[in-house]
Amino acid sequence: MTKEEKKVIVAKFGADEKDTGSAAVQVALLTKRISELTAHIKANHGDATASRALMALVGKRKKLLSYLAKNDNEAYLKLIAELGLRK
């Protein structure tokens, strides 16, 4: 993921361009990394390290999504709709 792609994601999901710490921005960035890593694993089936890293990213995203669902359910529903994630 390039810096420009990160800036676009932060601008779209954050309150401003420096809001990189909010849960919504973190989930969006993780989702982008997960999709890139998934494509890599499909091309390189034997890459066990990448598979382990993918599981770690998915777990981190799941924790952030559960936090967001507890504390701001409206933002959670909007975020999963925009990112195309399942509940």
Side-chain angles (χ1 to χ4, degrees):
M1 183 178 346
T2 64
K3 286 184 180 182
E4 290 78 24
E5 290 174 334
K6 283 186 181 182
K7 284 182 183 180
V8 169
I9 291 172
V10 170
K12 183 176 180 181
F13 293 100
D16 58 13
E17 66 267 358
K18 295 190 178 200
D19 180 23
T20 58
S22 68
V25 173
Q26 289 183 50
V27 168
L29 289 172
L30 284 172
T31 301
K32 175 74 172 164
R33 286 179 61 197
I34 287 169
S35 66
E36 290 175 353
L37 200 52
T38 302
H40 168 77
I41 291 173
K42 285 181 181 176
N44 303 286
H45 297 291
D47 195 350
T49 305
S51 298
R52 178 178 166 84
L54 177 65
M55 292 299 114
L57 292 176
V58 169
K60 186 179 285 191
R61 182 178 71 178
K62 183 178 178 184
K63 288 177 187 176
L64 284 168
L65 283 171
S66 69
Y67 167 81
L68 197 58
K70 284 183 213 170
N71 293 319
D72 192 359
N73 198 27
E74 233 176 79
Y76 166 75
L77 293 174
K78 181 181 172 190
L79 181 66
I80 62 171
E82 285 186 39
L83 293 175
L85 301 175
R86 293 180 286 141
K87 281 189 175 183

